Structure formats: structure tokens, C-alpha cells
Amino acid sequence: MASADAYDVIVVGLGGMGSAAAHHLSARGARVLGLEKFGPVHRQGSSHGGSRITRQSYFEDPAYVPLLLRAYELYDDLERTAGREIAILGGGVMVGRPECRTVAGSLRSAQEWGLPHEMLDAKEIRRRFPTLAPRDDEVALYERRAGLLKPEDTVAAHLQLAARQSADLRFEEPVERWEPYRDGVRVRTARGTYTAGQLVICPGAWAPGLLADLGVPIRVERQVMYWFQPRHGIEPFRPERQPIYVWEDPDGVQVYGFPAIDGPEEGVKVAFFRKGATNTAEKTGGSRVADDGGTGDAPMPPLTPETLDRVVHGDEIQAMAAYMADRIPDLAGRFVRAATCMYSTTPDEHFVIARHPLHPESVTVACGFSGHGFKFVPVVGEILADLALGGATRHPIGLFDPARFGGSSGS
């Protein structure tokens, strides 16, 4: 085993949040070691699939808006510094009945923070965005500054900058364990043992294992992204004509989608939001089937990254196409491809960003991003650098305190 190496900060996990943390830490002059289980910009976690929605009129909670405003600034900086296109802000609509969470919550945030927006009735939605076919009782909040982010380019840009700033980034080196050590931490991998004054853990769906003592009940969910070739081609779906959307039906089911950004033959992406499997037998649109082939109410083992079914099945594709038939009739022409990813969801669907309650002097955690975290990647990186190097941040993160779950405490 390699001899111990000393760093200022070790970052575990170099996906969306970890790559941003490595960049912000190394930009401040910290000696950073980054450890990643897979290769750079991999497709095994939650930071892939070509696109992620970004929006500021945030239906989840108005408390997120200040972080979004800062994230937009940092994404602009990242594009300029790394020389990559990362954001396409072609506008977005939050669609549903006026009282639904997607619409009412978005309107609340827009009004509370004075965000530019428009409210559109069904007729106006159809006029301005002809691909969309809302019901007569549905409305939309339109936000001009909404759009999409490119997750792979975001991660690659943060890794590029971190390496340029002398961060030591090591891939295909999974962490086996971490522990307090002297005045800092010690991290063991299959290749070596490393020490540092500070540890930042960004484990994604691996949080239940790496952060078992955190006291946060994180649920791993299997999610599927679909690409369809529209029946009449992609022209009506180009970014200058097609907005991003989050669409909620009367049963509370949400679906989201994007314009065509990958060329004429790559199709248009759509997915359900929070309609994924949470155990080893479920799949979207299917029934619960026990491992022995039986059915019933017997509890199933919780889903893990290792047990995730990465095959997308025919009934899932059919269910997605059928669901969209009345909402965007032209969308689901020919199926092109699909991909799986994972959400790591907390019980209240809010994030966890804090000093570890059992190790507040040396360990910072970022996990449980619950399917809506990617738009915050650069500001989370900034917050993690604040916490690791200074013990506090100016950003409002009280909502993300793990103590809200009544688990581990430092007392």
C-alpha cells in the first residue's frame, strides 16, 4: 500500500458537486486531492444525460432562489473561464392547473423575489409554443431566463479548471473508508492511504454507505431519460422555438422535457420527474415482482447503485410515449434511445449541505440532492469551499441542515 500523502482537503466523489468543490477549493490555493470511484465524466451516477433544467421561479421553495441567482453568475463565469458552452437559456414553462405545486409554487417564488415572469392561459400557451397541447383548464408560468445546462460539460469544465489549479485528481480509485485522524481525517482506498486537514464528501447515490452515520434516510431512486424522434422532425423543437417545461397533471405526476439540442437524428429528451423505482424489483410503469417471481406486498430490498437495473424496458418506453401523446402529440414518433440515472432523495426532498454533525471540525457533506440539484452545482462548490476552509458560508443553507431529521448530533 502506498505511503500516506498529506493534503489540505480531500474531496470524495468528482461528479457534479465534487468537481465544483475541487475547482473552488483549488482556486483558493488549497492542496486538493480528488478521489473518484469511476473515470472522469462518467455515466454511472447522476450527472449525465446531456441536459438538465435550470430555472429561477422555484416551485420547491423560495428559499432556493438566492442560491440560484448566484449559480447563474457562476455558470457564466465557468463558461468564460473554461471556454465551453454550458447553458442554453431559451425560456421555460411550468404547466398545470393554477393550484398545482408546479404552477403555484413557481409563481410564489417569482413574486417573492421579483423575478421576471408571465402567466399564460391555455390558448396563449398553444399560440406561443405550438408543440404543446395543454388542457383548457391548464395555465403556465413562463420564465425567459429558464433553460438547460449540459451536465457532462459542466463536470468536465470544473475538472479541467481544478487540474489547471494543481488539484491532484485520481480516478478509478474508490474510497473504502474514512475516519478522523489526529487533527484531520484519513481516507483509505485500494491504492493508498491519504491524510488531510479537511474532508469533503459528495457521494451521490453512494451516500447511504459512505455517510451511514449522518442520520439522514436517503432513498436511491432509478430514473429513466428518453429520446424520441418527433413525427414531423425536430424543427419545431429547436431551442429558439421550444421551451424547457415541467408539466404537472391533476394526479400530481410531473413530466419534464427539453428542446432538440443534439442534431436532427438524436431526438428530443423527455422524462418523468419522481416516478422512479426505489427498490430492486420496481420499474416505472411496471408491477412489483419479487425476486423469486412471486408478487405481493412483501418488502423489497432498497435500491442501491449496485442493484440498479440499467436496462430500459419496452413497457417503460410505451408508457412514456402514451403519457405524452395528449400533451405534446408530435413528440413520441420513433423511439431513439434511453438512459438511466439515479436520484438520491431525502424525506423532504431538500438537500443536505453542512458540516458533519459528528465531525464538525474536519468533515463537510453534500448529498441528498433529490433530483433537482444539478442547477446548483457551482454555488454548492463555492459553499463547500467556504465550509471546508472557513467553517461557515455567507450563503443561506439553513434549510439543508441534517439535524432536521433528528439523527446524528455532535452533543
Side-chain angles (χ1 to χ4, degrees):
M1 182 171 288
S3 60
D5 292 313
Y7 297 86
D8 294 325
V9 188
I10 297 174
V11 178
V12 174
L14 293 174
M17 305 307 174
S19 64
H23 161 52
H24 282 279
L25 286 161
S26 57
R28 299 184 193 186
R31 294 170 298 164
V32 175
L33 170 65
L35 297 170
E36 168 57 50
K37 181 181 180 70
F38 301 103
V41 197
H42 63 82
R43 294 176 172 267
Q44 302 301 308
S46 305
S47 299
H48 61 281
S51 56
R52 291 290 186 276
I53 283 177
T54 189
R55 49 194 166 87
Q56 295 180 347
S57 301
Y58 217 60
F59 61 76
E60 286 83 351
D61 195 304
Y64 285 89
V65 174
L67 298 177
L68 286 162
L69 298 176
R70 179 57 176 158
Y72 270 56
E73 294 174 350
L74 290 171
Y75 270 118
D76 285 344
D77 291 345
L78 184 63
E79 285 188 315
R80 287 192 297 269
T81 307
R84 295 173 179 262
E85 181 187 61
I86 290 173
I88 300 175
L89 302 181
V93 287
M94 307 298 113
V95 186
R97 289 177 174 173
E99 70 278 7
C100 77
R101 182 191 186 200
T102 301
V103 175
S106 298
L107 181 59
R108 177 188 171 198
S109 283
Q111 291 175 334
E112 185 168 320
W113 289 97
L115 302 174
H117 67 282
E118 298 177 62
M119 293 304 302
L120 312 178
D121 62 17
K123 182 178 179 181
E124 184 65 7
I125 297 169
R126 297 185 199 109
R127 186 188 72 80
R128 291 174 62 169
F129 308 113
T131 59
L132 308 183
R135 295 169 21 153
D136 289 341
D137 62 348
E138 291 180 317
V139 300
L141 180 142
Y142 172 71
E143 180 185 330
R144 184 182 60 81
R145 288 277 289 166
L148 65 90
L149 303 164
K150 298 180 178 181
E152 289 92 343
D153 285 291
T154 299
V155 175
H158 279 136
L159 294 176
Q160 168 192 334
L161 295 178
R164 185 188 300 172
Q165 292 150 185
S166 301
D168 183 0
L169 307 179
R170 304 191 183 190
F171 299 95
E172 307 289 347
E173 188 166 353
V175 169
E176 296 178 344
R177 63 175 296 182
W178 62 270
E179 59 196 356
Y181 179 72
R182 295 179 181 172
D183 293 330
V185 294
R186 180 165 58 189
V187 176
R188 298 181 186 273
T189 75
R191 297 184 189 173
T193 301
Y194 310 98
T195 61
Q198 295 289 322
L199 175 64
V200 174
I201 306 178
C202 304
W206 287 264
L210 280 174
L211 294 172
D213 63 347
L214 185 61
V216 178
I218 292 176
R219 181 180 70 250
V220 177
E221 300 178 19
R222 173 183 179 269
Q223 301 292 329
V224 182
M225 303 170 281
Y226 305 83
W227 285 259
F228 292 94
Q229 182 68 17
R231 289 186 174 86
H232 297 98
I234 67 165
E235 284 302 318
F237 292 87
R238 290 190 181 277
E240 61 270 21
R241 302 175 67 182
Q242 170 74 16
I244 62 92
Y245 57 88
V246 179
W247 201 322
E248 182 174 338
D249 71 18
D251 295 323
V253 174
Q254 293 169 302
V255 68
Y256 66 95
F258 299 84
I261 62 170
D262 298 319
E265 300 305 317
E266 295 303 313
V268 177
K269 179 182 169 183
V270 64
F272 285 112
F273 186 42
R274 299 196 197 291
K275 198 183 176 187
T278 59
N279 62 52
T280 56
E282 292 175 330
K283 60 189 171 119
T284 302
S287 60
R288 293 183 59 158
V289 182
D291 292 341
D292 62 3
T295 60
D297 297 326
M300 302 291 178
L303 188 70
T304 70
E306 291 73 29
T307 60
L308 174 73
D309 181 4
R310 296 187 182 274
V311 175
V312 179
H313 303 273
D315 59 341
E316 297 178 284
I317 298 165
Q318 293 167 9
M320 184 80 260
Y323 187 87
M324 296 306 297
D326 294 333
R327 293 166 177 82
I328 307 182
D330 231 23
L331 174 62
R334 175 176 56 84
F335 171 70
V336 177
R337 62 188 175 95
T340 59
C341 71
M342 292 177 285
Y343 290 175
S344 309
T345 302
T346 64
D348 61 8
E349 299 175 1
H350 295 310
F351 310 156
V352 173
I353 307 173
R355 297 291 258 173
H356 195 301
L358 297 182
H359 313 284
E361 300 302 319
S362 57
V363 181
T364 302
V365 299
C367 60
F369 288 96
S370 302
H372 63 111
F374 197 88
K375 59 187 71 65
F376 298 88
V377 156
V379 71
V380 170
E382 185 172 70
I383 291 167
L384 295 175
D386 291 344
L387 294 176
L389 298 180
T393 181
R394 64 181 175 84
H395 293 294
I397 61 170
L399 183 62
F400 311 137
D401 189 338
R404 70 190 190 270
F405 298 111
S408 299
S409 69
S411 60

